[in-house]
């Protein structure tokens, strides 16, 4: 919400020397988020005056139309003679009043004005547009043409209110009343301890039977509807300068007088309004839910198919507007000055339920100034005052006549009351405010307060966010100043540190960072398109997702079942910005529905939930295991004087899995696999032993070419995903190794096996056969060739033997090696190469 300081002063008598920065500090202390103060016209200096166009000479011989004008600027130029100006604009004519900047002036952007020769003539100044003066878009993109009432030479800086300060306020969802000058003025009045001139305090005529007929078919969706009629509107009337400038400073574009008035009143009082051309209405105005398949063309020219949940405003022909969001084109007010301009207007001021308005706006991807206010809560009691204010301005500025009929339909309801102990804010804040302070602060925000030790508080209609005692306590605390709260460090109980799960999470992050990976934090959301890009089968468990009731994005409406798409997006984003060698990792939760989730009970707020209630809440949740995932692309080792370097490949992804497993104290078992989204020949399944059984904990490998293409990733991108919770269960206590002082005996062995035999199976057989003397085993070569035969491969291993209590003899080392080979021959059908 943009709030001009000059407009704010109409409702609160701020100190004369108070600047926008001063007001910003006060409002921030009161709890509002004032993001910045915009200085309008701070770098603008005159002379800038009203001028009257006397003559226009069309200059020929140029690629674009150029005009040489003489303009009467009164005595502003010191001579009283007409000012000669060259101008390229076409939207003015002889006799029009325009805005002229004279030599010596400086326009926004440090644009100095001087007499200069251009297009063969000397131009002594410039005829200005709104954009050149920093006024914003007025819809014409042309020269400012003023009403005839202003005399040449009049100071245009003051006339156009070019010098001002505008507070830019980020209004949080619970402060919907601050989406109006009335609400901001109320906060400013409280902050300064000054009285408020409430613009909603108007004399409003009582409802009668002569008003425009209205029928409410959904009282829950529309609790109040006020309709007023104004006739005899002058179609030539234009919005006055003060009205246009306030709209522009607030960030809105002037359109036409009637539309500008409804927008102005919305900004002033916070009540969205809509004006219908009465001649284009057919029968009574109604409010109901849409029929499935009904269509409506909204004011933005889009034809929309309505949903049964949409709340609509209707006449006898059907929907004429999306209630609380946007009106329909069929009853649109015709522009003033048009041949068939609207002379009779029906003004709507209604109160619509926030929930259907928000859902309709999101469903149709149509956010408007009206929907933004209804979603956050609009004062239902302000509808009649807003309608009256609109009628008064139409009569005053458009020459209209207000009809005597007043329609007002409202659902019965009572003000919301809250019972609160007088010392409740004291106990919440840890500060002794006292009853008098509590009552005074609650009255300042508009509450009626009765009682002594126990207060009965009636909440004002413009504060629907005040629903319980803690809300009232927050009001007292913020107005007394958050900065006055004492700073007290909490005292944690002794003997409690990080859980084993938290420690593992941190160790894994440090280990992957040490291995050259960079952490990427992604949103835990996923869409159907990402699952399709992964190449998952229709029955793949990863397609069973938890859908969100209120997703941030329609393209990602569910919680993730795999972490890879988020990392792929991060990789693609970085690769698109010039990074070629990437290694990213993420640790976090995935969400796996079991199908046995229950509907959770609503937990109490006045006490701690019982163990049974917490258990029922947990039963409603999907399984949420913690995982780690990596993605690699480009070079894994850089080339340089030390060597060629090498690209990242599937083995690096597998090694990342081993790195994670080592931190959990688990031994990772790697087996060849074929599973999406990996290349079938470069894919590994990762297992650990839990309770004597092999359990799959993840997968790693090179991504399938179709997957890299679908996600827009570099070729040969590799990835790994592993479940940390299962690794934690498989982990054992890591014992410090005994370092032997005796020398190592190294034996190499090359075994020929079928190509289908996994290297991990051969390794396991060698380990089992070598016995306790084997210290380590490493695969250092894989060879295939004609001399081995088709479908055969050679695996070469380096075996290190060492005894803890003696130096091994050559015979002992050879015997251990022969035992290892024998076990490999028996289990895998291996043949000792060269034998």
């Amino acid at each position: 919400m943009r709030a001009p300081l000059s407009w704010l002063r109409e409702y609160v008598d701020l100190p004369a020397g108070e600047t926008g920065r001063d007001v910003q500090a006060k409002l921030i202390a009161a709890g509002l988020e004032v993001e910045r103060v915009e200085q309008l016209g701070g770098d603008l200096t005159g002379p800038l005056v009203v001028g009257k166009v006397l003559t226009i000479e069309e200059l020929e011989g140029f690629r674009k139309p150029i005009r040489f004008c003489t303009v009467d600027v009164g005595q502003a130029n010191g001579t009283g003679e007409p000012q000669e100006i060259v101008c390229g604009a076409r939207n003015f004519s002889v006799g029009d009043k325009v805005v002229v900047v004279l030599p010596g002036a400086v326009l926004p952007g440090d644009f100095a004005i001087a007499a200069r020769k251009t297009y063969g003539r000397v131009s002594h100044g410039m005829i200005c547009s709104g954009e050149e003066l920093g006024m914003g878009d007025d819809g014409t993109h042309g020269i400012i043409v003023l009403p005839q009432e202003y005399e040449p030479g009049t100071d245009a800086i003051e006339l156009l209110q070019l010098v001002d300060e505008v507070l830019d306020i980020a209004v949080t969802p619970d402060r919907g009343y601050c989406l109006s000058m009335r609400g901001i003025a109320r906060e400013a009045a409280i902050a300064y301890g000054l009285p408020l001139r409430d613009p909603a305090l108007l004399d409003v005529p009582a409802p009668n039977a002569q008003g425009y007929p209205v029928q409410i078919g959904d009282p829950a969706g529309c609790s109040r509807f006020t309709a007023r009629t104004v006739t005899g509107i002058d179609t030539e009337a234009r919005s006055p300068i003060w009205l246009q400038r306030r709209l522009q400073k607030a960030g809105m574009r002037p359109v036409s007088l009637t539309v500008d008035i409804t927008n102005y009143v919305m900004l002033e009082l916070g009540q969205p309004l809509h004006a219908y051309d009465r001649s284009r209405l057919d029968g009574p105005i109604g409010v109901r839910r849409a029929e499935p398949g009904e269509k409506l063309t909204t004011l933005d020219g889009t034809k929309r198919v309505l949903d049964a949940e949409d709340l609509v405003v209707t006449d006898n022909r059907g929907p004429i507007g999306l209630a609380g969001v946007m009106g329909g084109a069929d009853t649109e007010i015709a522009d003033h000055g048009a041949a068939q301009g609207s002379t009779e207007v029906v003004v709507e001021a209604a109160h619509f339920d926030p929930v259907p308005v928000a859902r309709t706006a999101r469903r149709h991807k149509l956010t408007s100034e009206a929907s933004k206010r209804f979603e956050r809560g609009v004062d239902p009691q302000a509808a009649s005052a807003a309608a009256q204010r609109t009628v008064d301005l139409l009569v005053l500025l458009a020459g209209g006549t207000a009809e005597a009929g007043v329609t007002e339909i409202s659902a019965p309801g009572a003000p919301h009351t809250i019972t609160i102990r007088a010392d409740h804010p004291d106990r919440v804040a840890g500060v002794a405010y006292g009853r008098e302070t509590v009552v005074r602060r609650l009255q300042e925000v508009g509450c009626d307060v009765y009682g002594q030790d126990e207060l009965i508080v009636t909440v004002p209609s413009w504060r629907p966010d005040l629903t319980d005692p803690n809300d009232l306590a927050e009001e007292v605390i913020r107005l007394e100043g958050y900065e006055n709260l004492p700073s007290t460090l909490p005292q944690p109980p002794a003997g409690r540190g990080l859980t084993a799960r938290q420690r593992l999470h941190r160790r894994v992050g440090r280990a992957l960072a040490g291995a050259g990976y960079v952490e990427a934090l992604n949103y835990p959301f996923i869409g159907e398109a990402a699952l399709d890009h992964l190449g998952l089968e229709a029955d793949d468990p990863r397609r069973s997702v938890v859908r969100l009731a209120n997703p941030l994005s329609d393209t990602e409406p569910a919680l993730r079942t795999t972490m890879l798409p988020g990392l792929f997006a991060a990789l693609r984003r970085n690769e698109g910005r010039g990074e070629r060698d990437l290694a990213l990792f993420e640790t976090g939760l995935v969400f796996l529905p079991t199908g046995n989730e229950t509907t959770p009970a609503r937990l109490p707020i006045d006490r701690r939930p019982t163990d049974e209630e917490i258990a029922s809440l947990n039963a409603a949740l999907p399984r949420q295991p913690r995982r780690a995932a990596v993605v690699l692309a480009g070079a894994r080792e850089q080339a340089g004087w030390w060597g060629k370097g090498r690209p990242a490949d599937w083995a690096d992804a597998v090694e990342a899995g081993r790195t994670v497993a080592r931190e959990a104290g688990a031994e990772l078992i790697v087996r060849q696999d074929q599973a999406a989204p990996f290349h079938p020949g470069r894919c590994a399944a990762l297992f650990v032993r839990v309770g004597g059984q092999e359990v799959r904990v993840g997968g790693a490998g090179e991504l399938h070419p179709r997957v890299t293409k679908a996600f827009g990733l570099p070729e040969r991108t590799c990835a790994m995903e592993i479940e940390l919770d299962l690794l934690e269960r498989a982990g054992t206590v890591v014992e410090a190794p005994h370092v032997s002082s005796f020398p190592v005996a190294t034996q190499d062995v090359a075994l020929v096996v079928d190509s289908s035999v996994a290297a991990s199976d051969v390794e396991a057989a060698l380990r089992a056969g070598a016995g306790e003397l084997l210290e380590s085993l490493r695969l250092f070569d894989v060879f295939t060739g004609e001399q081995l035969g088709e479908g055969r491969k050679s695996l070469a291993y380096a075996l290190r033997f060492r005894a803890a209590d003696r130096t091994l003899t050559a015979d002992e080392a050879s015997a251990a090696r022969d035992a290892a080979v024998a076990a490999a021959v028996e289990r895998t059908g291996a043949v000792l190469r060269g034998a």
Side-chain angles (χ1 to χ4, degrees):
M1 175 71 188
R2 292 170 54 86
L5 192 60
S6 59
W7 194 355
L8 189 62
R9 290 182 182 275
E10 281 200 5
Y11 311 122
V12 183
D13 291 326
L14 299 173
E18 206 74 353
T19 67
R21 298 287 184 190
D22 299 329
V23 178
Q24 178 189 30
K26 286 281 190 179
L27 293 179
I28 289 176
L32 293 185
E33 297 181 18
V34 186
E35 295 187 328
R36 66 190 180 107
V37 178
E38 184 178 347
Q39 304 288 336
L40 300 182
D43 53 353
L44 172 66
T45 59
L48 185 72
V49 298
V50 176
K52 180 178 180 179
V53 180
L54 300 178
T55 65
I56 298 177
E57 178 187 351
E58 302 287 346
L59 301 183
E60 299 180 353
F62 302 102
R63 286 182 295 178
K64 63 178 182 179
I66 299 296
R67 312 168 97 184
F68 181 69
C69 311
T70 58
V71 184
D72 178 12
V73 294
Q75 296 298 319
N77 57 4
T79 65
E81 296 297 322
Q83 200 79 359
E84 296 179 340
I85 299 175
V86 176
C87 183
R90 313 290 297 175
N91 67 314
F92 65 95
S93 56
V94 173
D96 282 345
K97 299 290 180 65
V98 294
V99 178
V100 179
V101 58
L102 300 177
V106 179
L107 295 184
D110 198 26
F111 180 34
I113 303 298
R116 66 188 183 95
K117 187 172 183 178
T118 180
Y119 297 102
R121 303 293 179 94
V122 177
S123 182
H124 298 273
M126 187 171 71
I127 301 174
C128 298
S129 69
E131 292 178 324
E132 291 166 335
L133 297 178
M135 295 170 58
D137 179 22
D138 62 358
T140 66
H141 300 287
I143 293 302
I144 300 172
V145 179
L146 300 170
Q148 289 293 326
E149 62 201 66
Y150 300 109
E151 292 297 323
T154 302
D155 183 8
I157 294 179
E158 181 178 353
L159 174 66
L160 299 177
Q161 304 172 23
L162 296 178
V163 179
D164 203 349
E165 294 179 279
V166 179
L167 306 174
D168 193 350
I169 302 174
V171 179
T172 53
D174 61 331
R175 295 291 178 84
Y177 67 97
C178 284
L179 286 172
S180 68
M181 292 302 302
R182 179 194 184 201
I184 296 171
R186 186 181 303 278
E187 290 295 323
I190 296 172
Y192 281 92
L194 297 171
L196 169 71
R197 289 186 291 274
D198 191 344
L201 296 180
L202 301 174
D203 292 330
V204 179
N208 54 54
Q210 288 76 49
Y212 196 90
V214 175
Q215 300 171 351
I216 306 299
D218 189 345
C222 178
S223 60
R224 183 179 293 267
F225 197 108
T226 300
R228 301 288 300 276
T229 304
V230 180
T231 60
I233 291 175
D234 181 6
T235 59
E236 298 296 328
R238 295 173 51 191
S239 299
I241 291 175
W242 65 265
L243 178 57
Q244 294 186 49
R245 289 298 294 135
R246 285 190 173 178
L247 291 177
Q248 288 174 327
K249 291 176 186 179
M252 302 190 76
R253 180 174 64 85
V255 179
S256 64
L257 180 55
T258 301
V259 174
D260 291 349
I261 287 174
T262 58
N263 287 336
Y264 176 82
V265 175
M266 178 187 68
L267 292 172
E268 183 180 50
L269 301 181
Q271 169 66 53
L273 300 117
H274 190 71
Y276 301 95
D277 186 334
R278 187 166 75 167
S279 66
R280 302 172 75 176
L281 287 171
D282 182 6
I285 294 175
V287 180
R288 60 170 172 81
R289 300 284 175 165
E291 298 292 336
E294 279 188 307
K295 294 180 174 61
L296 170 68
T297 302
T298 46
L299 289 174
D300 59 355
T302 302
K303 189 171 185 178
R304 304 180 185 277
V305 178
L306 303 182
D307 187 91
E309 292 296 315
D310 291 335
L311 194 64
V312 293
V313 181
T314 65
D315 64 5
N316 287 340
R317 295 167 298 180
I320 58 174
L322 283 173
V325 180
M326 185 174 285
D330 290 343
T331 56
E332 180 181 9
I333 295 292
D335 288 342
H336 288 257
Q340 299 295 327
S342 303
T343 60
E344 297 183 349
V345 168
V346 177
V347 177
E348 165 207 302
H351 183 265
F352 298 112
D353 184 67
V355 174
V357 171
R359 289 178 176 171
T360 296
R362 176 160 294 184
R363 186 180 299 114
H364 293 280
K365 298 180 176 63
L366 184 62
T367 300
S368 64
E369 291 292 332
S371 68
K372 186 164 64 174
R373 285 165 172 80
F374 279 120
E375 288 174 21
R376 289 162 172 78
V378 169
D379 181 4
Q381 302 298 326
S384 56
Q388 182 63 45
R389 177 69 164 145
T390 305
V391 169
D392 292 344
L393 289 174
L394 285 172
V395 171
L396 176 66
L397 303 178
T401 301
E403 289 194 350
V406 177
T407 301
E408 185 166 319
I409 299 176
S410 59
H416 180 55
T417 61
I418 302 171
T419 301
I420 177 176
R421 288 180 57 86
D423 63 349
H424 183 66
D426 302 17
R427 292 186 290 119
V428 171
V431 177
Y433 294 122
R435 179 188 177 280
E436 291 185 2
T437 298
V438 171
V439 171
R440 174 172 57 84
R441 289 303 191 183
L442 292 178
Q443 289 174 337
E444 285 177 346
V445 299
C447 297
D448 291 331
V449 185
Y450 302 96
Q452 293 298 318
D453 293 339
E454 189 170 83
L455 305 178
I456 299 176
V457 181
T458 302
V459 174
S461 57
W462 59 84
R463 293 298 302 271
D465 58 300
L466 303 181
T467 59
D468 61 57
N470 288 328
D471 294 330
L472 300 179
E474 181 184 0
E475 292 299 299
V476 174
I477 295 167
R478 76 174 180 88
L479 294 179
E480 283 297 302
Y482 290 119
E483 69 277 7
N484 296 323
L485 293 177
S487 298
T488 304
L489 291 175
Q491 297 295 325
R496 295 185 183 180
L498 298 176
T499 64
R501 189 185 195 200
Q502 291 170 330
R503 289 196 297 271
L504 174 60
H505 182 210
R506 295 194 179 189
R507 288 201 307 273
V508 166
R510 286 194 293 266
L512 289 174
Y517 291 85
V518 177
E519 186 171 15
L521 301 178
N522 300 298
Y523 286 116
F525 308 125
I526 200 169
E528 195 69 29
L531 299 175
D532 292 338
H533 291 342
L534 289 174
L536 304 183
E537 298 291 341
D539 58 349
D540 193 296
R542 285 170 289 183
R543 285 191 176 273
S544 179
V545 296
V546 177
R547 296 198 170 271
L548 299 169
N550 195 22
L552 293 179
S553 170
D554 291 339
T555 60
E556 294 181 327
L559 293 172
R560 65 188 178 191
T561 55
T562 171
M563 302 177 69
L564 294 181
L567 281 173
F568 293 165
L571 182 76
R572 181 180 65 247
R573 186 163 52 250
N574 283 275
E575 199 266 344
R577 294 175 180 173
E579 297 293 334
R580 294 293 180 263
D581 306 321
L582 294 162
L584 307 178
F585 84 93
E586 182 181 10
T587 56
L589 302 179
V590 295
F591 306 86
L592 309 177
T594 63
N596 299 321
E597 291 83 5
T598 59
T599 301
R602 188 179 181 87
L603 297 181
I605 61 173
D606 58 343
R607 60 174 174 80
R608 184 188 185 281
T610 64
D611 293 342
E612 291 77 12
E613 289 170 333
I614 294 176
S616 68
L617 185 65
N618 289 332
L621 299 175
R623 195 168 72 86
Q624 301 177 49
R626 185 174 296 275
R627 291 185 180 177
V630 305
V631 61
L632 307 95
R636 185 62 177 143
E637 295 179 2
Q638 297 291 332
W641 57 264
W642 52 84
K644 292 183 178 180
R646 66 173 183 85
D649 60 18
W650 62 269
D652 294 303
V654 173
E655 183 58 30
R658 288 196 173 100
T659 299
V660 174
R662 279 195 295 270
E663 294 302 317
E667 182 178 351
L668 199 65
I669 302 170
V670 181
R671 301 193 188 284
Q672 189 174 359
D673 192 25
Q674 292 188 14
F678 298 108
H679 191 293
R682 301 168 189 143
C683 172
L686 309 180
F687 295 85
V688 293
R689 289 191 176 277
V690 179
Q693 300 290 326
E694 284 192 4
V695 178
R696 179 166 181 150
V697 293
E702 181 182 313
L703 295 178
H704 196 287
R706 286 196 296 267
V707 175
T708 58
K709 183 178 180 180
F711 281 100
L713 304 177
E715 295 181 357
R716 310 300 294 268
T717 297
C718 301
M720 182 279 299
E721 185 172 18
I722 195 167
E723 188 165 324
L724 296 180
D725 291 348
L726 289 174
L727 288 178
E728 184 180 3
R729 289 169 52 192
T732 58
V733 177
V734 179
E735 297 182 359
H738 173 73
V739 180
S740 174
S741 60
F742 295 97
V744 66
T746 302
Q747 297 273 354
D748 293 343
V749 60
L751 300 175
V752 178
V753 296
D754 289 339
S755 297
S756 60
V757 177
S760 59
D761 293 338
V762 178
E763 179 179 332
L766 289 172
R767 287 185 183 278
E772 61 181 14
L773 293 180
L774 181 66
E775 182 179 82
S776 66
L777 180 150
R778 179 175 62 90
L779 174 68
F780 66 87
D781 184 58
V782 179
F783 175 76
T784 58
E786 295 180 0
Q787 58 269 48
L788 297 180
E790 185 176 354
R792 305 282 282 175
K793 63 183 177 181
S794 172
L795 304 176
Y797 292 90
L799 290 75
R800 290 166 56 93
F801 298 99
R802 194 193 315 252
D805 57 350
R806 68 188 186 281
T807 299
L808 292 178
T809 65
D811 291 339
E812 288 178 312
S814 297
R817 169 187 176 275
D818 292 343
V821 171
V825 170
E826 180 182 352
R827 294 189 183 186
T828 65
V831 176
L832 187 64
R833 187 175 176 184

